[in-house]
Amino acid sequence: MRITVFRKLMTGEFGPVRGEMVAQDHVLSALGGLTPDEALEAGVPPKEIWLAVCDAFDVPEQRR
C-alpha cells in the first residue's frame, strides 16, 4: 500500500478533518506508542498502520 492510498482510506473513513487529526494526534499502542504520522516517518509500512487504525477504531472488515 502506498502512502497516498493510506491517506485516501483515512479520509474516506473519517472525513478530511478528522482523518488528519487521527493521523497526527492519535497514539496507537499497536504502533509502539506512535501516531500514524510518526509511524509513517519511522518507516512502518502504511498497510500495517492502516490495520492498526482499523483495530483501534473498530472499522468493519469490509472497509479494511
Side-chain angles (χ1 to χ4, degrees), residues 26-39:
H26 193 80
V27 175
L28 297 166
S29 59
L31 299 175
L34 298 174
T35 67
D37 281 350
E38 291 170 337

Side-chain angles (χ1 to χ4, degrees), residues 40-61:
L40 285 170
E41 289 177 22
V44 177
K47 185 173 183 175
E48 184 178 328
I49 299 168
W50 172 245
L51 293 175
V53 169
C54 289
D55 288 342
F57 287 90
D58 295 321
V59 174
E61 190 66 37

Side-chain angles (χ1 to χ4, degrees), residues 14-35:
F14 301 107
V17 174
R18 186 164 183 237
E20 279 297 314
M21 289 175 55
V22 169
Q24 292 174 6
D25 301 330
H26 193 80
V27 175
L28 297 166
S29 59
L31 299 175
L34 298 174
T35 67

Side-chain angles (χ1 to χ4, degrees), residues 9 46 52:
L9 289 169

Side-chain angles (χ1 to χ4, degrees), residues 1-25:
M1 174 186 292
R2 296 178 185 265
I3 293 173
T4 55
V5 173
F6 169 76
R7 296 283 183 205
K8 286 180 184 178
L9 289 169
M10 290 290 287
T11 299
E13 185 63 34
F14 301 107
V17 174
R18 186 164 183 237
E20 279 297 314
M21 289 175 55
V22 169
Q24 292 174 6
D25 301 330

